[in-house]
Amino acid sequence: MLPLLFFGPPSSSHFWSVPLLLVAFRLIGQGNLCILSRLGIIQIFHMTYDLASAMVRIVNLIGMMLLLCHWDGCLQFLVPMLQDFPADCWVSKNKMVNDTWGQQYSYALFKAMSHMLCIGYGMYPPVGMTDVWLTILSMIVGATCYAMFVGHATALIQSLDSSRRQYQEK
């Protein structure tokens, strides 16, 4: 009766997880991996490990996409700055030449993310040839990131399903 009170009512979702882990540690200590594999604990460990590694891959991919957005935003501001802010560039049109770096970075990041997500051109469409080429570059990088994200998500779903399929075949 004490274990039932300690681990909660039988209707809880984690009711059997702690006792099974205790049995697993005891069987590992005795070297009975055959019994352990019959209990399905090894399979549960592999599924958990696969899910964790897949989540790490997705988080790394999102981090890489954010880094590319940062670089693109910096490039969006750097090129007009190197040209001494021509009158037709987005920085001059937004009257941001002498603004704080935080505001300039925020608008540059917004412009880069708008391009990379292919949802627009930011506040103003590109006018000069350098703005046009920067916009094209941003959209190509964004489309590539989107394709990589969809591909990784598809591979993740298939890899999780394949381990279940292999287990059911045995």
Side-chain angles (χ1 to χ4, degrees):
M1 187 67 177
L2 183 61
L4 290 177
L5 292 174
F6 183 74
F7 295 120
S11 62
S12 71
S13 62
H14 299 292
F15 177 68
W16 291 108
S17 62
V18 174
L20 276 178
L21 284 175
L22 292 174
V23 169
F25 290 137
R26 188 169 147 219
L27 291 175
I28 288 173
Q30 295 174 356
N32 294 328
L33 290 178
C34 294
I35 296 171
L36 193 61
S37 66
R38 286 184 189 155
L39 289 175
I41 293 177
I42 291 178
Q43 197 258 340
I44 291 171
F45 172 75
H46 285 295
M47 285 178 56
T48 305
Y49 177 72
D50 289 343
L51 182 64
S53 66
M55 291 305 293
V56 167
R57 285 187 299 170
I58 294 293
V59 167
N60 283 340
L61 181 64
I62 291 171
M64 183 192 70
M65 289 171 28
L66 289 175
L67 181 66
L68 285 173
C69 281
H70 165 75
W71 286 345
D72 191 25
C74 291
L75 189 66
Q76 292 284 337
F77 186 79
L78 178 69
V79 171
M81 185 181 73
L82 292 177
Q83 295 175 340
D84 290 327
F85 300 114
D88 63 344
C89 76
W90 69 273
V91 180
S92 297
K93 284 183 179 180
N94 287 325
K95 299 177 181 76
M96 297 177 55
V97 176
N98 295 321
D99 281 350
T100 64
W101 67 268
Q103 193 169 8
Q104 290 171 340
Y105 176 75
S106 298
Y107 274 93
L109 190 64
F110 167 72
K111 185 173 174 64
M113 289 185 88
S114 295
H115 294 169
M116 291 182 78
L117 296 174
C118 297
I119 57 173
Y121 297 112
M123 299 287 278
Y124 298 103
V127 176
M129 193 54 64
T130 55
D131 282 345
V132 169
W133 280 104
L134 281 173
T135 303
I136 290 170
L137 179 69
S138 293
M139 288 184 171
I140 289 172
V141 170
T144 304
C145 286
Y146 179 74
M148 287 174 49
F149 186 76
V150 169
H152 275 6
T154 304
L156 166 68
I157 292 169
Q158 285 180 346
S159 70
L160 292 177
D161 198 29
S162 70
S163 63
R164 183 182 303 138
R165 209 175 323 125
Q166 288 174 352
Y167 178 71
Q168 288 175 350
E169 287 175 3
K170 289 181 181 181

